[in-house]
Amino acid sequence: MLSIQSTEQLTGVRISGDFWDLDALIHAIYKVTGDENKYYDYQGARLRILGLCHNLRQAMQGEHQLEFVSNGLNKSILSRHEIIFPNKNVYYGAEVLWPELLFTAIALNDFIRLHQELIDSSAWNGQVATIRKFQAAVADCLEQELTEEQYLVFLRMLHTKSPLTFRYATQYVDVLNLEYIQLHTQARKAQLASFALRLMLEDEEYTALKSKLIEVASTTKKALHEIPINANYPEEILW
């Protein structure tokens, strides 16, 4: 079962699951977000989401964290079936910064909507169900870190704003990631709700950044999401 838990320093979360949990999520995301020629106005958000998939792929290859989780087998079951079998399964894990994770979960709403409108509107769509389960796990984890009022405000904003990431300047996620990393643990706890809202509010800071990016894009003829910004992440992050 896919698990999402806050890290010790509240820098982000640890996403973990067995090989097939992660594989199913990645497959569902690729299916719903479509190929690179689909949904051009959401291309920046799509590439950002696929960055998370890349991180999970690395985890599946054992490049991040491994843990052993009980699978429910006990001596009684093993003796009854006269077999020798491990009583723990391997879980693969990867850490993701909170702003990055929240943007991913939020942006997936747009792709689910587009997929249902243009590709498959079935209520029994397996890929959509898998992604919704992932989003629910993110929401459960976030709810544990916020007050009840903060969480309700976040949900209200999420449900009233649509689309959420149309022509979004995804470089702003880097801005929030780096700003969040610089906070100490208690400040992260106090400000996590505001970071979640800033991903959707498009405040003055976001608007100013996007205006600069549009100006550069118009002269370089590059897509908005292709414009680099000065975003130097630390070599090591204390999770």
Side-chain angles (χ1 to χ4, degrees):
M1 182 179 70
L2 195 72
S3 170
I4 299 179
Q5 301 292 330
S6 289
T7 58
E8 291 75 9
Q9 303 298 322
L10 203 62
T11 317
V13 304
R14 185 172 296 109
I15 303 175
S16 60
D18 67 22
F19 183 92
W20 301 111
D21 291 329
L22 300 184
D23 185 70
L25 176 59
I26 293 168
H27 176 77
I29 289 175
Y30 269 90
K31 186 75 172 179
V32 169
T33 57
D35 62 43
E36 62 183 359
N37 296 315
K38 269 188 178 297
Y39 318 132
Y40 181 79
D41 290 317
Y42 296 86
Q43 191 63 267
R46 177 182 176 274
L47 292 175
R48 200 91 201 188
I49 293 169
L50 296 187
L52 175 68
C53 290
H54 177 70
N55 201 12
L56 296 180
R57 284 277 188 215
Q58 289 182 320
M60 292 168 63
Q61 295 167 0
E63 295 183 20
H64 294 304
Q65 296 191 356
L66 297 177
E67 58 182 314
F68 295 95
V69 179
S70 174
N71 59 18
L73 285 178
N74 54 43
K75 290 183 179 180
S76 175
I77 295 174
L78 294 173
S79 61
R80 186 184 311 141
H81 291 273
E82 298 181 345
I83 58 173
I84 298 174
F85 202 83
N87 61 3
K88 291 186 177 181
N89 292 342
V90 176
Y91 267 37
Y92 303 86
E95 285 139 343
V96 184
L97 293 167
W98 259 117
E100 189 76 41
L101 176 75
L102 290 174
F103 178 80
T104 299
I106 289 168
L108 282 168
N109 269 356
D110 283 335
F111 288 97
I112 288 173
R113 176 181 55 80
L114 291 166
H115 186 76
Q116 290 177 328
E117 289 177 357
L118 303 174
I119 308 297
D120 183 358
S121 61
S122 171
W124 288 12
N125 185 297
Q127 284 77 34
V128 171
T130 298
I131 294 174
R132 288 299 191 201
K133 188 175 181 180
F134 165 72
Q135 290 176 307
V138 173
D140 287 344
C141 188
L142 179 64
E143 185 176 14
Q144 294 175 28
E145 305 300 344
L146 305 184
T147 66
E148 182 178 357
E149 182 179 356
Q150 288 173 335
Y151 185 65
L152 289 175
V153 170
F154 170 77
L155 289 182
R156 194 176 301 119
M157 174 66 73
L158 185 65
H159 292 151
T160 56
K161 189 176 187 300
S162 181
L164 291 157
T165 58
F166 178 78
R167 296 180 182 173
Y168 196 88
T170 51
Q171 295 87 337
Y172 189 57
V173 183
D174 289 307
V175 172
L176 295 183
N177 280 340
L178 293 172
E179 185 178 331
Y180 190 76
I181 290 172
Q182 298 302 316
L183 301 175
H184 57 76
T185 305
Q186 291 304 315
R188 290 171 187 159
K189 180 74 173 178
Q191 297 185 42
L192 181 56
S194 68
F195 274 79
L197 293 178
R198 286 168 67 187
L199 286 164
M200 297 182 284
L201 284 174
E202 300 186 12
D203 56 14
E204 290 182 6
E205 183 181 9
Y206 171 82
T207 303
L209 173 64
K210 186 172 182 178
S211 295
K212 291 179 182 178
L213 294 172
I214 290 174
E215 184 178 345
V216 175
S218 65
T219 58
T220 61
K221 306 306 178 183
K222 289 184 177 181
L224 184 66
H225 63 271
E226 295 176 339
I227 308 300
I229 65 170
N230 186 19
N232 297 316
Y233 285 81
E235 290 186 8
E236 292 188 14
I237 297 175
L238 183 61
W239 293 98

